[in-house]
PDB file of all heavy atoms in Angstrom:
ATOM      1  N   ILE A 993      55.915 150.817 -54.146  1.00  0.00           N
ATOM      2  CA  ILE A 993      54.774 150.581 -53.275  1.00  0.00           C
ATOM      3  C   ILE A 993      54.342 149.131 -53.481  1.00  0.00           C
ATOM      4  O   ILE A 993      54.062 148.721 -54.615  1.00  0.00           O
ATOM      5  CB  ILE A 993      53.611 151.532 -53.588  1.00  0.00           C
ATOM      6  CG1 ILE A 993      54.045 152.987 -53.420  1.00  0.00           C
ATOM      7  CG2 ILE A 993      52.409 151.210 -52.707  1.00  0.00           C
ATOM      8  CD1 ILE A 993      54.470 153.365 -52.013  1.00  0.00           C
ATOM      9  N   VAL A 994      54.317 148.360 -52.410  1.00  0.00           N
ATOM     10  CA  VAL A 994      53.964 146.949 -52.515  1.00  0.00           C
ATOM     11  C   VAL A 994      52.690 146.670 -51.727  1.00  0.00           C
ATOM     12  O   VAL A 994      52.421 147.308 -50.703  1.00  0.00           O
ATOM     13  CB  VAL A 994      55.100 146.028 -52.013  1.00  0.00           C
ATOM     14  CG1 VAL A 994      56.385 146.298 -52.773  1.00  0.00           C
ATOM     15  CG2 VAL A 994      55.311 146.177 -50.512  1.00  0.00           C
ATOM     16  N   ALA A 995      51.914 145.738 -52.228  1.00  0.00           N
ATOM     17  CA  ALA A 995      50.798 145.182 -51.467  1.00  0.00           C
ATOM     18  C   ALA A 995      51.334 143.944 -50.765  1.00  0.00           C
ATOM     19  O   ALA A 995      51.742 142.976 -51.421  1.00  0.00           O
ATOM     20  CB  ALA A 995      49.640 144.823 -52.389  1.00  0.00           C
ATOM     21  N   THR A 996      51.379 143.981 -49.436  1.00  0.00           N
ATOM     22  CA  THR A 996      51.996 142.885 -48.698  1.00  0.00           C
ATOM     23  C   THR A 996      51.194 141.603 -48.786  1.00  0.00           C
ATOM     24  O   THR A 996      51.737 140.503 -48.681  1.00  0.00           O
ATOM     25  CB  THR A 996      52.173 143.276 -47.222  1.00  0.00           C
ATOM     26  OG1 THR A 996      50.895 143.656 -46.684  1.00  0.00           O
ATOM     27  CG2 THR A 996      53.146 144.453 -47.098  1.00  0.00           C
ATOM     28  N   ARG A 997      49.880 141.747 -48.997  1.00  0.00           N
ATOM     29  CA  ARG A 997      48.976 140.604 -49.138  1.00  0.00           C
ATOM     30  C   ARG A 997      47.704 141.126 -49.799  1.00  0.00           C
ATOM     31  O   ARG A 997      47.474 142.338 -49.809  1.00  0.00           O
ATOM     32  CB  ARG A 997      48.646 140.003 -47.771  1.00  0.00           C
ATOM     33  CG  ARG A 997      47.894 140.958 -46.858  1.00  0.00           C
ATOM     34  CD  ARG A 997      47.743 140.445 -45.446  1.00  0.00           C
ATOM     35  NE  ARG A 997      46.922 141.348 -44.629  1.00  0.00           N
ATOM     36  CZ  ARG A 997      47.362 142.477 -44.093  1.00  0.00           C
ATOM     37  NH1 ARG A 997      48.630 142.839 -44.267  1.00  0.00           N
ATOM     38  NH2 ARG A 997      46.545 143.230 -43.371  1.00  0.00           N
ATOM     39  N   GLY A 999      44.119 142.529 -50.109  1.00  0.00           N
ATOM     40  CA  GLY A 999      43.279 143.161 -49.101  1.00  0.00           C
ATOM     41  C   GLY A 999      42.935 144.584 -49.443  1.00  0.00           C
ATOM     42  O   GLY A 999      42.997 144.996 -50.611  1.00  0.00           O
ATOM     43  N   GLY A1000      42.594 145.376 -48.412  1.00  0.00           N
ATOM     44  CA  GLY A1000      42.228 146.765 -48.583  1.00  0.00           C
ATOM     45  C   GLY A1000      43.438 147.645 -48.788  1.00  0.00           C
ATOM     46  O   GLY A1000      44.577 147.175 -48.845  1.00  0.00           O
ATOM     47  N   SER A1001      43.195 148.950 -48.862  1.00  0.00           N
ATOM     48  CA  SER A1001      44.299 149.874 -49.144  1.00  0.00           C
ATOM     49  C   SER A1001      45.363 149.865 -48.050  1.00  0.00           C
ATOM     50  O   SER A1001      46.502 150.275 -48.280  1.00  0.00           O
ATOM     51  CB  SER A1001      43.756 151.294 -49.326  1.00  0.00           C
ATOM     52  OG  SER A1001      43.156 151.759 -48.127  1.00  0.00           O
ATOM     53  N   ASP A1002      45.016 149.358 -46.855  1.00  0.00           N
ATOM     54  CA  ASP A1002      45.970 149.333 -45.757  1.00  0.00           C
ATOM     55  C   ASP A1002      47.109 148.335 -45.970  1.00  0.00           C
ATOM     56  O   ASP A1002      48.102 148.354 -45.235  1.00  0.00           O
ATOM     57  CB  ASP A1002      45.262 149.015 -44.437  1.00  0.00           C
ATOM     58  CG  ASP A1002      44.549 147.677 -44.452  1.00  0.00           C
ATOM     59  OD1 ASP A1002      43.843 147.388 -45.445  1.00  0.00           O
ATOM     60  OD2 ASP A1002      44.675 146.915 -43.478  1.00  0.00           O
ATOM     61  N   VAL A1003      46.997 147.469 -46.983  1.00  0.00           N
ATOM     62  CA  VAL A1003      48.083 146.513 -47.245  1.00  0.00           C
ATOM     63  C   VAL A1003      49.204 147.146 -48.070  1.00  0.00           C
ATOM     64  O   VAL A1003      50.254 146.522 -48.268  1.00  0.00           O
ATOM     65  CB  VAL A1003      47.574 145.238 -47.959  1.00  0.00           C
ATOM     66  CG1 VAL A1003      46.448 144.600 -47.155  1.00  0.00           C
ATOM     67  CG2 VAL A1003      47.132 145.526 -49.399  1.00  0.00           C
ATOM     68  N   LEU A1004      49.005 148.375 -48.545  1.00  0.00           N
ATOM     69  CA  LEU A1004      50.022 149.041 -49.357  1.00  0.00           C
ATOM     70  C   LEU A1004      51.071 149.685 -48.453  1.00  0.00           C
ATOM     71  O   LEU A1004      50.737 150.386 -47.501  1.00  0.00           O
ATOM     72  CB  LEU A1004      49.381 150.108 -50.246  1.00  0.00           C
ATOM     73  CG  LEU A1004      48.400 149.608 -51.309  1.00  0.00           C
ATOM     74  CD1 LEU A1004      47.743 150.793 -52.005  1.00  0.00           C
ATOM     75  CD2 LEU A1004      49.101 148.720 -52.325  1.00  0.00           C
ATOM     76  N   GLU A1005      52.346 149.453 -48.751  1.00  0.00           N
ATOM     77  CA  GLU A1005      53.415 150.084 -47.983  1.00  0.00           C
ATOM     78  C   GLU A1005      54.594 150.411 -48.888  1.00  0.00           C
ATOM     79  O   GLU A1005      54.797 149.803 -49.935  1.00  0.00           O
ATOM     80  CB  GLU A1005      53.869 149.210 -46.831  1.00  0.00           C
ATOM     81  CG  GLU A1005      54.530 147.904 -47.216  1.00  0.00           C
ATOM     82  CD  GLU A1005      55.026 147.125 -45.998  1.00  0.00           C
ATOM     83  OE1 GLU A1005      54.265 146.986 -45.008  1.00  0.00           O
ATOM     84  OE2 GLU A1005      56.179 146.636 -46.040  1.00  0.00           O
ATOM     85  N   ARG A1006      55.357 151.431 -48.456  1.00  0.00           N
ATOM     86  CA  ARG A1006      56.544 151.856 -49.197  1.00  0.00           C
ATOM     87  C   ARG A1006      57.697 150.924 -48.874  1.00  0.00           C
ATOM     88  O   ARG A1006      57.909 150.567 -47.717  1.00  0.00           O
ATOM     89  CB  ARG A1006      56.888 153.299 -48.825  1.00  0.00           C
ATOM     90  CG  ARG A1006      58.133 153.838 -49.502  1.00  0.00           C
ATOM     91  CD  ARG A1006      58.274 155.325 -49.241  1.00  0.00           C
ATOM     92  NE  ARG A1006      59.532 155.862 -49.771  1.00  0.00           N
ATOM     93  CZ  ARG A1006      59.734 157.131 -50.056  1.00  0.00           C
ATOM     94  NH1 ARG A1006      58.752 158.014 -49.884  1.00  0.00           N
ATOM     95  NH2 ARG A1006      60.890 157.550 -50.526  1.00  0.00           N
ATOM     96  N   ASP A1032      44.256 148.555 -60.787  1.00  0.00           N
ATOM     97  CA  ASP A1032      45.190 148.482 -59.662  1.00  0.00           C
ATOM     98  C   ASP A1032      44.479 147.944 -58.416  1.00  0.00           C
ATOM     99  O   ASP A1032      45.063 147.176 -57.629  1.00  0.00           O
ATOM    100  CB  ASP A1032      45.762 149.871 -59.348  1.00  0.00           C
ATOM    101  CG  ASP A1032      46.360 150.558 -60.564  1.00  0.00           C
ATOM    102  OD1 ASP A1032      46.561 149.898 -61.600  1.00  0.00           O
ATOM    103  OD2 ASP A1032      46.623 151.772 -60.480  1.00  0.00           O
ATOM    104  N   ARG A1036      45.292 144.660 -56.270  1.00  0.00           N
ATOM    105  CA  ARG A1036      45.612 144.795 -54.836  1.00  0.00           C
ATOM    106  C   ARG A1036      44.687 143.946 -53.975  1.00  0.00           C
ATOM    107  O   ARG A1036      45.105 143.288 -53.018  1.00  0.00           O
ATOM    108  CB  ARG A1036      45.490 146.259 -54.427  1.00  0.00           C
ATOM    109  CG  ARG A1036      45.845 146.564 -52.979  1.00  0.00           C
ATOM    110  CD  ARG A1036      44.992 147.705 -52.444  1.00  0.00           C
ATOM    111  NE  ARG A1036      43.616 147.321 -52.223  1.00  0.00           N
ATOM    112  CZ  ARG A1036      42.560 148.121 -52.339  1.00  0.00           C
ATOM    113  NH1 ARG A1036      42.720 149.378 -52.725  1.00  0.00           N
ATOM    114  NH2 ARG A1036      41.336 147.668 -52.100  1.00  0.00           N
ATOM    115  N   LEU A1048      53.246 142.245 -53.873  1.00  0.00           N
ATOM    116  CA  LEU A1048      52.900 142.561 -55.255  1.00  0.00           C
ATOM    117  C   LEU A1048      53.058 144.059 -55.486  1.00  0.00           C
ATOM    118  O   LEU A1048      52.592 144.870 -54.685  1.00  0.00           O
ATOM    119  CB  LEU A1048      51.458 142.148 -55.523  1.00  0.00           C
ATOM    120  CG  LEU A1048      50.941 142.341 -56.947  1.00  0.00           C
ATOM    121  CD1 LEU A1048      51.421 141.199 -57.834  1.00  0.00           C
ATOM    122  CD2 LEU A1048      49.412 142.406 -56.958  1.00  0.00           C
ATOM    123  N   PRO A1050      51.679 146.940 -57.570  1.00  0.00           N
ATOM    124  CA  PRO A1050      50.587 147.246 -58.505  1.00  0.00           C
ATOM    125  C   PRO A1050      51.031 148.273 -59.553  1.00  0.00           C
ATOM    126  O   PRO A1050      52.165 148.737 -59.581  1.00  0.00           O
ATOM    127  CB  PRO A1050      49.497 147.837 -57.596  1.00  0.00           C
ATOM    128  CG  PRO A1050      49.948 147.607 -56.189  1.00  0.00           C
ATOM    129  CD  PRO A1050      51.440 147.509 -56.244  1.00  0.00           C
ATOM    130  N   TYR A1083      54.134 150.935 -59.818  1.00  0.00           N
ATOM    131  CA  TYR A1083      54.202 151.749 -58.603  1.00  0.00           C
ATOM    132  C   TYR A1083      55.628 151.743 -58.048  1.00  0.00           C
ATOM    133  O   TYR A1083      55.922 151.194 -56.981  1.00  0.00           O
ATOM    134  CB  TYR A1083      53.248 151.217 -57.538  1.00  0.00           C
ATOM    135  CG  TYR A1083      51.794 151.555 -57.709  1.00  0.00           C
ATOM    136  CD1 TYR A1083      51.265 151.986 -58.928  1.00  0.00           C
ATOM    137  CD2 TYR A1083      50.905 151.426 -56.641  1.00  0.00           C
ATOM    138  CE1 TYR A1083      49.924 152.269 -59.073  1.00  0.00           C
ATOM    139  CE2 TYR A1083      49.552 151.709 -56.777  1.00  0.00           C
ATOM    140  CZ  TYR A1083      49.063 152.123 -57.991  1.00  0.00           C
ATOM    141  OH  TYR A1083      47.728 152.406 -58.131  1.00  0.00           O
ATOM    142  N   HIS A1290      53.805 157.836 -52.613  1.00  0.00           N
ATOM    143  CA  HIS A1290      53.779 157.226 -51.279  1.00  0.00           C
ATOM    144  C   HIS A1290      52.401 157.315 -50.630  1.00  0.00           C
ATOM    145  O   HIS A1290      52.145 156.660 -49.618  1.00  0.00           O
ATOM    146  CB  HIS A1290      54.851 157.849 -50.367  1.00  0.00           C
ATOM    147  CG  HIS A1290      54.677 159.308 -50.103  1.00  0.00           C
ATOM    148  ND1 HIS A1290      55.437 160.279 -50.718  1.00  0.00           N
ATOM    149  CD2 HIS A1290      53.813 159.981 -49.295  1.00  0.00           C
ATOM    150  CE1 HIS A1290      55.065 161.472 -50.285  1.00  0.00           C
ATOM    151  NE2 HIS A1290      54.083 161.318 -49.429  1.00  0.00           N
ATOM    152  N   ASP A1291      51.492 158.110 -51.210  1.00  0.00           N
ATOM    153  CA  ASP A1291      50.107 158.175 -50.738  1.00  0.00           C
ATOM    154  C   ASP A1291      49.177 157.334 -51.615  1.00  0.00           C
ATOM    155  O   ASP A1291      47.978 157.629 -51.752  1.00  0.00           O
ATOM    156  CB  ASP A1291      49.607 159.626 -50.725  1.00  0.00           C
ATOM    157  CG  ASP A1291      50.096 160.394 -49.513  1.00  0.00           C
ATOM    158  OD1 ASP A1291      50.507 159.753 -48.523  1.00  0.00           O
ATOM    159  OD2 ASP A1291      50.079 161.639 -49.554  1.00  0.00           O
ATOM    160  N   ALA A1292      49.702 156.257 -52.182  1.00  0.00           N
ATOM    161  CA  ALA A1292      48.899 155.408 -53.070  1.00  0.00           C
ATOM    162  C   ALA A1292      47.656 154.876 -52.366  1.00  0.00           C
ATOM    163  O   ALA A1292      46.593 154.734 -52.989  1.00  0.00           O
ATOM    164  CB  ALA A1292      49.740 154.253 -53.602  1.00  0.00           C
ATOM    165  N   ALA A1293      47.743 154.594 -51.075  1.00  0.00           N
ATOM    166  CA  ALA A1293      46.576 154.084 -50.347  1.00  0.00           C
ATOM    167  C   ALA A1293      45.449 155.113 -50.345  1.00  0.00           C
ATOM    168  O   ALA A1293      44.276 154.773 -50.541  1.00  0.00           O
ATOM    169  CB  ALA A1293      46.964 153.718 -48.918  1.00  0.00           C
ATOM    170  N   LYS A1294      45.787 156.387 -50.129  1.00  0.00           N
ATOM    171  CA  LYS A1294      44.769 157.445 -50.166  1.00  0.00           C
ATOM    172  C   LYS A1294      44.167 157.560 -51.566  1.00  0.00           C
ATOM    173  O   LYS A1294      42.956 157.791 -51.714  1.00  0.00           O
ATOM    174  CB  LYS A1294      45.378 158.778 -49.743  1.00  0.00           C
ATOM    175  CG  LYS A1294      45.808 158.842 -48.282  1.00  0.00           C
ATOM    176  CD  LYS A1294      46.391 160.213 -47.950  1.00  0.00           C
ATOM    177  CE  LYS A1294      46.840 160.285 -46.500  1.00  0.00           C
ATOM    178  NZ  LYS A1294      47.446 161.603 -46.169  1.00  0.00           N
ATOM    179  N   HIS A1296      43.857 155.120 -53.747  1.00  0.00           N
ATOM    180  CA  HIS A1296      42.960 153.971 -53.926  1.00  0.00           C
ATOM    181  C   HIS A1296      41.627 154.214 -53.225  1.00  0.00           C
ATOM    182  O   HIS A1296      40.557 153.912 -53.779  1.00  0.00           O
ATOM    183  CB  HIS A1296      43.626 152.712 -53.373  1.00  0.00           C
ATOM    184  CG  HIS A1296      44.581 152.068 -54.323  1.00  0.00           C
ATOM    185  ND1 HIS A1296      44.710 150.696 -54.457  1.00  0.00           N
ATOM    186  CD2 HIS A1296      45.467 152.611 -55.204  1.00  0.00           C
ATOM    187  CE1 HIS A1296      45.635 150.427 -55.366  1.00  0.00           C
ATOM    188  NE2 HIS A1296      46.111 151.574 -55.825  1.00  0.00           N
TER     189      HIS A1296
END
Side-chain angles (χ1 to χ4, degrees):
I993 301 298
V994 303
T996 56
R997 63 188 185 281
S1001 63
D1002 59 314
V1003 305
L1004 296 174
E1005 65 177 47
R1006 178 171 175 158
D1032 307 347
R1036 182 213 72 211
L1048 183 80
Y1083 282 18
H1290 62 257
D1291 281 341
K1294 293 181 181 178
H1296 277 218

